[in-house]
Amino acid sequence: MGRKKTPGLVKRGDCWHIDKKVRGRRLCESTGESDLGKAEEYLARKIEEIRQASVYGVRPIRTFRMAATKFLNESCKRSLARDADCLKQLDAFIGDLEIRKVHMGTLQSYIETRKGQGIKSGTIARDLAVVRRILTLSARVWRDENNQPWIDTAPLLQLPNWEDAAEPYPLTWDEQQHFFKLLPDYLHKMALFKVNTGLREQGVCWLRWDWEVKVPALKTSIFITPENRLLMMTVSGLARKIRKTRSWF
């Protein structure tokens, strides 16, 4: 006959999960353990952390992985997929590290490894900017059950710049043809219009035909965006610019 397990542990698949009310707080999470003894040790440690926090105000230990998971679950950024990818790269280096121990020193191994892989400093700086955002949220926004921030202060992160960025250059005809073949048909003209005019993404994607206003005196038309959003594009002017380069229809 097997020994009785600790109340609050439920086995789902091969892993033990916690489902227990501790000091008025519902604790529901995976222990990450398939062994019952180790799962019970994990549960005991979590209960003690909650007791220390509620009685003595001791901040519970939180890893960078926990903070990264919270960030991804709560973020509404358009670049969320890009952030998730860089956090996946970072996890192998600082995922298990306490969030209060994440700083330039502990990030140096990640920086050097990525540099050795030939990654540009701009890409690494973009990754560190995500870390900086998470640390800032941990210090200024996120609060635990005792109204304490996850960390006291967010450390300063110096973003690398080794002046290794590639020099910008105009697309060649062959490059344009190659890239545009990868686009679906409904994006082809939009992309060609953008390449020839230099408009920003929003200027192209937000444009609507019902914003067009005819100007008979000039034999042309303009687009006026709602609420006077400082975006007025003269189609005739764009057309002249396009005709000087290439046809887009």
Side-chain angles (χ1 to χ4, degrees), residues 129-147:
V130 178
V131 177
R132 182 172 60 186
R133 177 59 179 164
I134 292 174
L135 295 176
T136 300
L137 290 171
S138 299
R140 300 183 180 181
V141 179
W142 296 341
R143 294 291 186 272
D144 61 19
E145 295 79 7
N146 298 302
N147 201 34

Side-chain angles (χ1 to χ4, degrees), residues 171-189:
L171 286 175
T172 66
W173 288 99
D174 289 339
E175 288 173 329
Q176 176 175 304
Q177 185 178 14
H178 173 75
F179 289 136
F180 281 19
K181 281 182 178 179
L182 304 177
L183 293 174
D185 291 340
Y186 73 96
L187 290 179
H188 187 273
K189 288 184 177 180

